[in-house]
Amino acid sequence: MAAVAGPGETILIAANAHKAERTFALAAGLDVGIVPVQVDEAWDIEHGVAPEALRASLARYPAAKAAIVVSPTYYGVTSDIAALADICHDHGIPLIVDAAWGGAYPFCEALPGDPLTKGADAAVYSAHKTMGALAQGSIIVAKGNVLDRQRLCMAYELFETTSPSVPILASLDATRRDHALRGEQMWNDVLKLARSARERIGRIAPLRVLGRDDIPAGAEIDETKVLIDISGLGVSGYAIDDWLFAEHRISMGLSDERHILAVISLGTTRSDIRGLERGLADLVARFSADPTLLPRSPGGPSVATLSVDMAISGSEALAGPAEMVRYEDAEGHIAAEMIAPAPPGVPRLVPGQRISAAHVAWLIANRDAGAFIMDPVDPAEATIRVVNGPTK
């Protein structure tokens, strides 16, 4: 982002981008144009950016310096990167892809296509997520001439620590070499396990597994991300996640109000898959026999109802006078902090954003169900920091 835009300049960011992108924009004084993403209301999840949404955003923000999209999403669904890249290049700007969960894609033909092979100008891969590098081990790769390579190198130098971790760097090189030599074999083995998990879990009613038939046209699905809809049980994914860990020592990759996500990766074994199947089957059987086994889900509005209405600039909201108000009393106020439940760490409120009734209902429901909010000002998650003064 620092390589393409400076203070006061505009950058387009997908609505489901990680808090890291929004945080940097705030710190650097960038103006952000939010690109809407496709929301699957039947699953209550966000997918990628549709080409027509990017076109509309560029028409609204013609001076935008770049566009940033997330592909794949935390749920393993890609955007149509080739179409998005063509649109960006028609406007003379680069397409930057947060490909944190797609680092292995270049090394196995059975995985979705790598963004850089589809026209993206730069991609960031978190090699520590699924590829085996140590935590914080990530990689930036740039391609083509649309993005100023010299400026990218200068921006990197600005942020690079002067005391890099040699073990992290060594792990990056080791996992790169391992994938270059054996990536095809390694990930085909992982995919076999993932397909087995999908088949086994799909037979446990009323659970549903996200599949190819559920994703938008032009998108691809990473089968190693096994998203399970548990809403048919009437309890939250947070409660199920806790129960699976307590009863079966199973830790899920994600839980939210109506989903759990299993991430199948290089360390996963057949025993792990059988254990997950047994744990879920045990849960369904015991819950059927005793509906009081877990608390009922409090419910809440869909993510599709969470509008992005910026009342003032983020920097103005962040730096100006503020007060704390209860979640229940926050409607109509202007947020002065970032609220990003994790995972996946997507902000639901950012400084400067008007808080709607849907935001309040969503935050209360997810807090009460057990959501983890990343670094809230109030650790008790009872109040939220808002702009102090007139809110209309």
Side-chain angles (χ1 to χ4, degrees):
M1 292 170 69
V4 296
E9 294 183 320
T10 300
I11 193 164
L12 299 182
I13 300 179
N16 62 340
H18 191 269
K19 69 171 291 189
E21 285 92 334
R22 303 302 300 275
T23 300
F24 177 77
L26 275 171
L30 304 183
D31 291 332
V32 173
I34 297 298
V35 185
V37 295
Q38 298 165 291
V39 177
D40 187 327
E41 296 192 25
W43 280 81
D44 194 25
I45 59 172
E46 294 158 311
H47 292 310
V49 170
E52 55 270 21
L54 180 59
R55 286 194 192 93
S57 295
L58 281 167
R60 184 178 179 187
Y61 301 100
K65 298 297 183 180
I68 297 178
V69 299
V70 180
S71 183
T73 64
Y74 202 98
Y75 309 110
V77 179
T78 71
S79 294
D80 186 346
I81 295 299
L84 299 180
D86 286 343
I87 293 168
C88 284
H89 297 161
D90 287 344
H91 285 76
I93 63 171
L95 175 67
I96 301 169
V97 179
D98 177 347
W101 287 90
Y105 291 3
F107 302 98
C108 179
E109 291 293 331
L111 290 170
D114 175 63
L116 293 178
T117 66
K118 293 180 175 291
D121 300 285
V124 181
Y125 308 93
S126 293
H128 65 94
K129 293 188 184 294
T130 57
M131 296 176 69
L134 291 177
Q136 302 182 43
S138 298
I139 300 166
I140 301 173
V141 182
K143 184 177 181 180
N145 300 313
V146 179
L147 191 148
D148 185 333
R149 204 76 59 84
Q150 187 180 69
R151 186 172 168 184
L152 176 63
C153 291
M154 291 171 59
Y156 181 82
E157 292 291 336
L158 287 174
F159 295 101
E160 181 188 20
T161 176
T162 55
S163 304
S165 165
V166 173
I168 293 175
L169 294 176
S171 75
L172 281 172
D173 195 42
T175 196
R176 176 209 57 76
R177 182 179 187 276
D178 212 19
H179 277 72
L181 294 177
R182 303 192 304 115
E184 194 75 36
Q185 175 193 332
M186 291 192 303
W187 282 94
N188 273 306
D189 289 344
V190 172
L191 282 163
K192 289 178 184 176
L193 291 175
R195 288 162 184 159
S196 173
R198 289 171 165 275
E199 181 181 352
R200 289 169 178 264
I201 297 167
R203 293 197 294 258
I204 305 172
L207 306 183
R208 295 192 302 153
V209 177
L210 187 77
R212 294 183 184 278
D213 294 339
D214 300 305
I215 65 173
E220 295 179 272
I221 189 169
D222 180 348
E223 295 177 281
T224 68
K225 310 299 189 301
V226 184
L227 182 67
I228 306 162
D229 185 322
I230 47 78
S231 60
L233 293 172
V235 299
S236 77
Y238 304 116
I240 290 176
D241 193 353
D242 290 342
W243 187 91
L244 286 171
F245 186 78
E247 297 293 326
H248 291 270
R249 307 300 290 175
I250 294 171
S251 181
M252 304 305 299
L254 166 145
S255 57
D256 61 23
E257 203 275 325
R258 62 173 289 183
H259 310 98
I260 53 176
L261 176 76
V263 180
I264 315 301
S265 191
L266 297 175
T268 308
T269 66
R270 290 186 179 87
S271 177
D272 294 329
I273 302 301
R274 290 193 296 268
L276 178 59
E277 179 196 12
R278 284 195 302 268
L280 290 172
D282 183 34
L283 167 71
V284 170
R286 289 170 64 176
F287 186 75
S288 297
D290 179 11
T292 65
L293 179 71
L294 295 173
R296 307 301 292 180
S297 170
S302 164
V303 293
T305 66
L306 304 182
S307 60
V308 180
D309 175 14
M310 296 300 294
I312 60 176
S313 72
S315 56
E316 183 183 355
L318 196 64
E323 60 180 324
M324 302 298 292
V325 301
R326 297 191 320 141
Y327 273 16
E328 290 81 356
D329 301 326
E331 181 184 353
H333 286 273
I334 299 170
E337 67 168 309
M338 190 174 295
I339 299 293
V346 174
R348 298 306 173 192
L349 285 169
V350 297
Q353 188 174 345
R354 180 80 63 183
I355 302 173
S356 69
H359 286 115
V360 171
W362 193 92
L363 287 169
I364 291 173
N366 279 267
R367 177 198 63 190
D368 293 349
F372 172 71
I373 308 295
M374 294 180 72
D375 305 318
V377 174
D378 175 10
E381 298 177 15
T383 59
I384 183 172
R385 187 175 188 267
V386 299
V387 172
N388 187 359
T391 60
K392 304 298 182 184

